[in-house]
Amino acid sequence: MEKINYPLQTNAGNYILFQYNEDTPQLKFVWLNGKVKFPPIKQFDDYTDTDNVAIIGEYANAKAIPSDYKWIGYFNTPNSYKLQSDIWLVSRHINIDVAKGTKFVFMTPSFDVMPVFNETMNGNNVRIIHSEQNGSYNLKSNQFVVLIQYITVFLMSIMLFITVTIWLNKENYFLSILYLSGYSPGAIYIILLKTKILPYIVISMILIILAFIAHDISPLWDISWLIYSACLVLFYIFLVMMLGWYFTFIYTVRKGGQKY
């Protein structure tokens, strides 16, 4: 954001807003609103509700901390190369000025980010920089990790398809006997759902609900991975149900034979 034409709506919701200059990206002005969580901190000094405080990484230069900020501790995140080099300047009063920098990072634990973001920006002209075009995503190692994730999901889907096919194929005599005994294909499919498939559907739905409840109790910054996982599970459930109908069809109507 190059210019602030309208005052930002600083009480728009739960969020944390980072502001920084492109020349010194490690030095970040941090604006908080509502209930948000900080990374783990090794605190060595106390502070009051009116103090502007500074939290830095182990490798950051403490001399870069402005005199009107009180240095209270380090980030306790030894495995984060980014936080270990950052300096966060947390102000008690939100006073955003582009003189501090024209780059921003907006994060919120809310389910949908954009409504909170748009309300906070209050009509100011911003250019959204997508994460895929910047930062650590550009590292070949990180791109390779994402590729591995896609390959893993693809292989899991193939394994599921093969496993369910073998499992349902073993029910051929059960399905044929029901058909020859006078049950319609629809009734046989209902029986197959209730006795074979439904228990797995119920267990999957319970796990999805528990995952969302856990996120609600202890919110994560990004819920998208949970939504993607739930959608993948729902897709697998749909796939199993369709395979169940297919095998019901081939071992009843397609099989033919005399019903009694």
Side-chain angles (χ1 to χ4, degrees), residues 2 14 18-19 47 78-79 92 104 116-117 144 153 160 175 183 188 196 209 213 219 221 236 241 254:
E2 299 292 341
N14 300 324
F18 301 90
Q19 182 180 13
Y47 62 94
N79 296 320
R92 291 302 166 191
F104 296 84
V116 182
F117 173 77
F144 186 65
V153 171
L160 176 75
L175 300 176
Y183 287 88
I188 295 173
K196 303 295 181 180
I209 293 172
I213 291 175
W221 276 118
Y236 286 158
M241 292 176 66
R254 186 175 173 183

mmCIF file of all heavy atoms in Angstrom, residues 2 14 18-19 47 78-79 92 104 116-117 144 153 160 175 183 188 196 209 213 219 221 236 241 254:
data_model
loop_
_atom_site.group_PDB
_atom_site.id
_atom_site.type_symbol
_atom_site.label_atom_id
_atom_site.label_comp_id
_atom_site.label_asym_id
_atom_site.label_seq_id
_atom_site.Cartn_x
_atom_site.Cartn_y
_atom_site.Cartn_z
ATOM 1 N N GLU A 2 0.773 2.066 -1.046
ATOM 2 C CA GLU A 2 1.649 3.218 -1.198
ATOM 3 C C GLU A 2 1.127 4.452 -0.465
ATOM 4 O O GLU A 2 1.899 5.324 -0.069
ATOM 5 C CB GLU A 2 1.800 3.561 -2.691
ATOM 6 C CG GLU A 2 2.410 2.444 -3.526
ATOM 7 C CD GLU A 2 3.860 2.198 -3.194
ATOM 8 O OE1 GLU A 2 4.493 3.104 -2.603
ATOM 9 O OE2 GLU A 2 4.360 1.104 -3.507
ATOM 10 N N ASN A 14 -10.404 -9.889 14.611
ATOM 11 C CA ASN A 14 -9.164 -10.452 15.152
ATOM 12 C C ASN A 14 -8.118 -10.536 14.046
ATOM 13 O O ASN A 14 -8.324 -11.229 13.046
ATOM 14 C CB ASN A 14 -9.428 -11.845 15.726
ATOM 15 C CG ASN A 14 -10.448 -11.825 16.840
ATOM 16 O OD1 ASN A 14 -10.491 -10.890 17.623
ATOM 17 N ND2 ASN A 14 -11.279 -12.850 16.911
ATOM 18 N N PHE A 18 1.418 -6.802 10.015
ATOM 19 C CA PHE A 18 2.834 -6.473 10.005
ATOM 20 C C PHE A 18 3.083 -5.402 8.948
ATOM 21 O O PHE A 18 2.588 -5.510 7.826
ATOM 22 C CB PHE A 18 3.684 -7.699 9.657
ATOM 23 C CG PHE A 18 3.524 -8.854 10.604
ATOM 24 C CD1 PHE A 18 2.556 -9.822 10.383
ATOM 25 C CD2 PHE A 18 4.340 -8.987 11.718
ATOM 26 C CE1 PHE A 18 2.403 -10.888 11.242
ATOM 27 C CE2 PHE A 18 4.197 -10.055 12.588
ATOM 28 C CZ PHE A 18 3.226 -11.005 12.350
ATOM 29 N N GLN A 19 3.865 -4.411 9.303
ATOM 30 C CA GLN A 19 4.255 -3.374 8.358
ATOM 31 C C GLN A 19 5.779 -3.315 8.330
ATOM 32 O O GLN A 19 6.433 -3.327 9.381
ATOM 33 C CB GLN A 19 3.684 -2.016 8.778
ATOM 34 C CG GLN A 19 4.021 -0.882 7.811
ATOM 35 C CD GLN A 19 3.442 0.451 8.252
ATOM 36 O OE1 GLN A 19 2.995 0.600 9.374
ATOM 37 N NE2 GLN A 19 3.455 1.429 7.367
ATOM 38 N N TYR A 47 6.825 -5.706 31.455
ATOM 39 C CA TYR A 47 6.331 -4.518 30.761
ATOM 40 C C TYR A 47 4.928 -4.202 31.247
ATOM 41 O O TYR A 47 4.256 -5.049 31.860
ATOM 42 C CB TYR A 47 6.346 -4.724 29.239
ATOM 43 C CG TYR A 47 5.460 -5.846 28.768
ATOM 44 C CD1 TYR A 47 4.152 -5.608 28.346
ATOM 45 C CD2 TYR A 47 5.939 -7.161 28.744
ATOM 46 C CE1 TYR A 47 3.341 -6.647 27.918
ATOM 47 C CE2 TYR A 47 5.126 -8.202 28.314
ATOM 48 C CZ TYR A 47 3.836 -7.937 27.903
ATOM 49 O OH TYR A 47 3.035 -8.964 27.480
ATOM 50 N N PRO A 78 13.676 -22.030 17.851
ATOM 51 C CA PRO A 78 14.999 -22.345 17.293
ATOM 52 C C PRO A 78 14.964 -22.923 15.879
ATOM 53 O O PRO A 78 15.962 -22.848 15.162
ATOM 54 C CB PRO A 78 15.560 -23.367 18.295
ATOM 55 C CG PRO A 78 14.362 -23.925 18.998
ATOM 56 C CD PRO A 78 13.379 -22.800 19.062
ATOM 57 N N ASN A 79 13.836 -23.481 15.464
ATOM 58 C CA ASN A 79 13.758 -24.103 14.137
ATOM 59 C C ASN A 79 13.209 -23.167 13.069
ATOM 60 O O ASN A 79 13.015 -23.586 11.926
ATOM 61 C CB ASN A 79 12.893 -25.362 14.203
ATOM 62 C CG ASN A 79 13.501 -26.426 15.096
ATOM 63 O OD1 ASN A 79 14.708 -26.622 15.079
ATOM 64 N ND2 ASN A 79 12.673 -27.106 15.870
ATOM 65 N N ARG A 92 1.278 -0.336 21.420
ATOM 66 C CA ARG A 92 0.033 -0.447 22.177
ATOM 67 C C ARG A 92 -1.104 0.295 21.495
ATOM 68 O O ARG A 92 -2.270 -0.028 21.706
ATOM 69 C CB ARG A 92 0.240 0.101 23.597
ATOM 70 C CG ARG A 92 1.152 -0.769 24.433
ATOM 71 C CD ARG A 92 0.607 -2.178 24.541
ATOM 72 N NE ARG A 92 1.611 -3.112 25.042
ATOM 73 C CZ ARG A 92 1.472 -4.414 25.045
ATOM 74 N NH1 ARG A 92 0.404 -4.962 24.519
ATOM 75 N NH2 ARG A 92 2.420 -5.180 25.526
ATOM 76 N N PHE A 104 2.950 -4.863 3.688
ATOM 77 C CA PHE A 104 2.164 -5.327 4.821
ATOM 78 C C PHE A 104 1.919 -6.828 4.706
ATOM 79 O O PHE A 104 1.829 -7.371 3.601
ATOM 80 C CB PHE A 104 0.812 -4.606 4.877
ATOM 81 C CG PHE A 104 0.910 -3.122 5.109
ATOM 82 C CD1 PHE A 104 1.128 -2.254 4.042
ATOM 83 C CD2 PHE A 104 0.784 -2.599 6.379
ATOM 84 C CE1 PHE A 104 1.215 -0.887 4.246
ATOM 85 C CE2 PHE A 104 0.870 -1.230 6.602
ATOM 86 C CZ PHE A 104 1.088 -0.374 5.525
ATOM 87 N N VAL A 116 -12.495 -9.743 6.687
ATOM 88 C CA VAL A 116 -11.788 -9.005 7.733
ATOM 89 C C VAL A 116 -10.765 -8.063 7.113
ATOM 90 O O VAL A 116 -10.618 -6.913 7.520
ATOM 91 C CB VAL A 116 -11.101 -9.981 8.716
ATOM 92 C CG1 VAL A 116 -10.400 -9.209 9.844
ATOM 93 C CG2 VAL A 116 -12.099 -10.958 9.292
ATOM 94 N N PHE A 117 -10.069 -8.547 6.079
ATOM 95 C CA PHE A 117 -9.059 -7.742 5.405
ATOM 96 C C PHE A 117 -9.684 -6.514 4.737
ATOM 97 O O PHE A 117 -9.216 -5.392 4.905
ATOM 98 C CB PHE A 117 -8.330 -8.599 4.369
ATOM 99 C CG PHE A 117 -7.375 -7.834 3.494
ATOM 100 C CD1 PHE A 117 -6.135 -7.437 3.965
ATOM 101 C CD2 PHE A 117 -7.732 -7.487 2.192
ATOM 102 C CE1 PHE A 117 -5.263 -6.728 3.165
ATOM 103 C CE2 PHE A 117 -6.860 -6.771 1.386
ATOM 104 C CZ PHE A 117 -5.615 -6.399 1.878
ATOM 105 N N PHE A 144 9.529 -28.263 -4.121
ATOM 106 C CA PHE A 144 9.633 -29.712 -4.227
ATOM 107 C C PHE A 144 8.786 -30.391 -3.150
ATOM 108 O O PHE A 144 8.165 -31.426 -3.398
ATOM 109 C CB PHE A 144 11.090 -30.142 -4.104
ATOM 110 C CG PHE A 144 11.319 -31.608 -4.344
ATOM 111 C CD1 PHE A 144 11.075 -32.170 -5.588
ATOM 112 C CD2 PHE A 144 11.747 -32.428 -3.311
ATOM 113 C CE1 PHE A 144 11.268 -33.526 -5.810
ATOM 114 C CE2 PHE A 144 11.941 -33.776 -3.517
ATOM 115 C CZ PHE A 144 11.703 -34.335 -4.766
ATOM 116 N N VAL A 153 -0.806 -37.454 -2.210
ATOM 117 C CA VAL A 153 -2.276 -37.516 -2.262
ATOM 118 C C VAL A 153 -2.725 -38.347 -3.452
ATOM 119 O O VAL A 153 -3.671 -39.151 -3.347
ATOM 120 C CB VAL A 153 -2.869 -36.094 -2.335
ATOM 121 C CG1 VAL A 153 -4.367 -36.151 -2.609
ATOM 122 C CG2 VAL A 153 -2.594 -35.335 -1.043
ATOM 123 N N LEU A 160 -6.350 -46.225 -2.292
ATOM 124 C CA LEU A 160 -7.712 -46.336 -1.780
ATOM 125 C C LEU A 160 -8.616 -47.017 -2.805
ATOM 126 O O LEU A 160 -9.408 -47.899 -2.462
ATOM 127 C CB LEU A 160 -8.261 -44.953 -1.429
ATOM 128 C CG LEU A 160 -9.722 -44.937 -0.976
ATOM 129 C CD1 LEU A 160 -9.847 -45.470 0.443
ATOM 130 C CD2 LEU A 160 -10.316 -43.541 -1.064
ATOM 131 N N LEU A 175 -23.835 -60.233 -2.496
ATOM 132 C CA LEU A 175 -24.721 -59.427 -3.332
ATOM 133 C C LEU A 175 -25.559 -60.301 -4.262
ATOM 134 O O LEU A 175 -26.760 -60.056 -4.455
ATOM 135 C CB LEU A 175 -23.896 -58.427 -4.145
ATOM 136 C CG LEU A 175 -23.059 -57.420 -3.335
ATOM 137 C CD1 LEU A 175 -22.223 -56.555 -4.271
ATOM 138 C CD2 LEU A 175 -23.954 -56.548 -2.477
ATOM 139 N N TYR A 183 -34.361 -59.501 -3.592
ATOM 140 C CA TYR A 183 -34.121 -58.092 -3.274
ATOM 141 C C TYR A 183 -33.837 -57.309 -4.563
ATOM 142 O O TYR A 183 -33.158 -57.805 -5.462
ATOM 143 C CB TYR A 183 -32.930 -57.951 -2.326
ATOM 144 C CG TYR A 183 -33.215 -58.384 -0.903
ATOM 145 C CD1 TYR A 183 -33.034 -59.708 -0.509
ATOM 146 C CD2 TYR A 183 -33.654 -57.455 0.038
ATOM 147 C CE1 TYR A 183 -33.281 -60.106 0.792
ATOM 148 C CE2 TYR A 183 -33.908 -57.846 1.347
ATOM 149 C CZ TYR A 183 -33.719 -59.169 1.712
ATOM 150 O OH TYR A 183 -33.969 -59.539 3.004
ATOM 151 N N ILE A 188 -30.557 -53.781 -2.195
ATOM 152 C CA ILE A 188 -29.254 -54.408 -1.935
ATOM 153 C C ILE A 188 -28.189 -53.333 -1.686
ATOM 154 O O ILE A 188 -27.333 -53.469 -0.794
ATOM 155 C CB ILE A 188 -28.851 -55.308 -3.121
ATOM 156 C CG1 ILE A 188 -29.830 -56.478 -3.244
ATOM 157 C CG2 ILE A 188 -27.432 -55.821 -2.946
ATOM 158 C CD1 ILE A 188 -29.611 -57.316 -4.474
ATOM 159 N N LYS A 196 -21.717 -52.314 5.425
ATOM 160 C CA LYS A 196 -20.298 -52.312 5.059
ATOM 161 C C LYS A 196 -19.675 -50.916 5.006
ATOM 162 O O LYS A 196 -18.567 -50.698 5.500
ATOM 163 C CB LYS A 196 -20.121 -52.983 3.683
ATOM 164 C CG LYS A 196 -20.663 -54.397 3.593
ATOM 165 C CD LYS A 196 -19.899 -55.348 4.501
ATOM 166 C CE LYS A 196 -20.437 -56.774 4.370
ATOM 167 N NZ LYS A 196 -19.711 -57.725 5.235
ATOM 168 N N ILE A 209 -15.326 -33.628 12.332
ATOM 169 C CA ILE A 209 -15.954 -32.736 13.323
ATOM 170 C C ILE A 209 -15.005 -32.471 14.481
ATOM 171 O O ILE A 209 -14.860 -31.323 14.947
ATOM 172 C CB ILE A 209 -17.274 -33.350 13.827
ATOM 173 C CG1 ILE A 209 -18.308 -33.381 12.692
ATOM 174 C CG2 ILE A 209 -17.825 -32.564 15.023
ATOM 175 C CD1 ILE A 209 -19.570 -34.151 13.028
ATOM 176 N N ILE A 213 -13.535 -28.895 15.813
ATOM 177 C CA ILE A 213 -13.718 -28.501 17.211
ATOM 178 C C ILE A 213 -12.365 -28.164 17.840
ATOM 179 O O ILE A 213 -12.229 -27.174 18.569
ATOM 180 C CB ILE A 213 -14.419 -29.619 18.006
ATOM 181 C CG1 ILE A 213 -15.871 -29.765 17.536
ATOM 182 C CG2 ILE A 213 -14.374 -29.336 19.508
ATOM 183 C CD1 ILE A 213 -16.614 -30.929 18.173
ATOM 184 N N PRO A 219 -7.325 -22.041 17.939
ATOM 185 C CA PRO A 219 -7.273 -21.650 16.525
ATOM 186 C C PRO A 219 -5.856 -21.637 15.958
ATOM 187 O O PRO A 219 -4.905 -21.219 16.618
ATOM 188 C CB PRO A 219 -7.864 -20.226 16.533
ATOM 189 C CG PRO A 219 -8.627 -20.135 17.802
ATOM 190 C CD PRO A 219 -7.903 -21.000 18.789
ATOM 191 N N TRP A 221 -3.441 -20.341 12.624
ATOM 192 C CA TRP A 221 -3.468 -19.168 11.750
ATOM 193 C C TRP A 221 -4.176 -19.463 10.450
ATOM 194 O O TRP A 221 -4.906 -18.664 9.920
ATOM 195 C CB TRP A 221 -2.049 -18.689 11.474
ATOM 196 C CG TRP A 221 -1.541 -17.790 12.552
ATOM 197 C CD1 TRP A 221 -0.478 -18.009 13.366
ATOM 198 C CD2 TRP A 221 -2.090 -16.542 12.961
ATOM 199 N NE1 TRP A 221 -0.341 -16.975 14.249
ATOM 200 C CE2 TRP A 221 -1.310 -16.056 14.021
ATOM 201 C CE3 TRP A 221 -3.169 -15.784 12.537
ATOM 202 C CZ2 TRP A 221 -1.566 -14.850 14.658
ATOM 203 C CZ3 TRP A 221 -3.433 -14.584 13.167
ATOM 204 C CH2 TRP A 221 -2.639 -14.127 14.212
ATOM 205 N N TYR A 236 -13.286 -39.062 -0.916
ATOM 206 C CA TYR A 236 -13.064 -40.504 -0.748
ATOM 207 C C TYR A 236 -14.369 -41.216 -0.372
ATOM 208 O O TYR A 236 -14.633 -42.322 -0.850
ATOM 209 C CB TYR A 236 -12.011 -40.743 0.335
ATOM 210 C CG TYR A 236 -10.595 -40.423 -0.097
ATOM 211 C CD1 TYR A 236 -9.608 -40.155 0.846
ATOM 212 C CD2 TYR A 236 -10.250 -40.393 -1.436
ATOM 213 C CE1 TYR A 236 -8.307 -39.863 0.450
ATOM 214 C CE2 TYR A 236 -8.960 -40.101 -1.849
ATOM 215 C CZ TYR A 236 -7.982 -39.841 -0.894
ATOM 216 O OH TYR A 236 -6.700 -39.543 -1.279
ATOM 217 N N MET A 241 -18.797 -44.794 -2.086
ATOM 218 C CA MET A 241 -20.228 -44.994 -2.328
ATOM 219 C C MET A 241 -20.492 -45.318 -3.790
ATOM 220 O O MET A 241 -21.329 -46.187 -4.109
ATOM 221 C CB MET A 241 -20.998 -43.746 -1.906
ATOM 222 C CG MET A 241 -20.996 -43.492 -0.406
ATOM 223 S SD MET A 241 -21.827 -41.951 0.059
ATOM 224 C CE MET A 241 -23.515 -42.322 -0.404
ATOM 225 N N ARG A 254 -26.429 -56.851 -13.918
ATOM 226 C CA ARG A 254 -25.514 -57.261 -14.995
ATOM 227 C C ARG A 254 -25.239 -58.753 -14.938
ATOM 228 O O ARG A 254 -25.017 -59.389 -15.962
ATOM 229 C CB ARG A 254 -24.225 -56.475 -14.877
ATOM 230 C CG ARG A 254 -23.265 -56.718 -16.011
ATOM 231 C CD ARG A 254 -22.071 -55.804 -15.893
ATOM 232 N NE ARG A 254 -21.064 -56.111 -16.873
ATOM 233 C CZ ARG A 254 -19.879 -55.506 -16.959
ATOM 234 N NH1 ARG A 254 -19.569 -54.542 -16.090
ATOM 235 N NH2 ARG A 254 -19.002 -55.835 -17.875
#
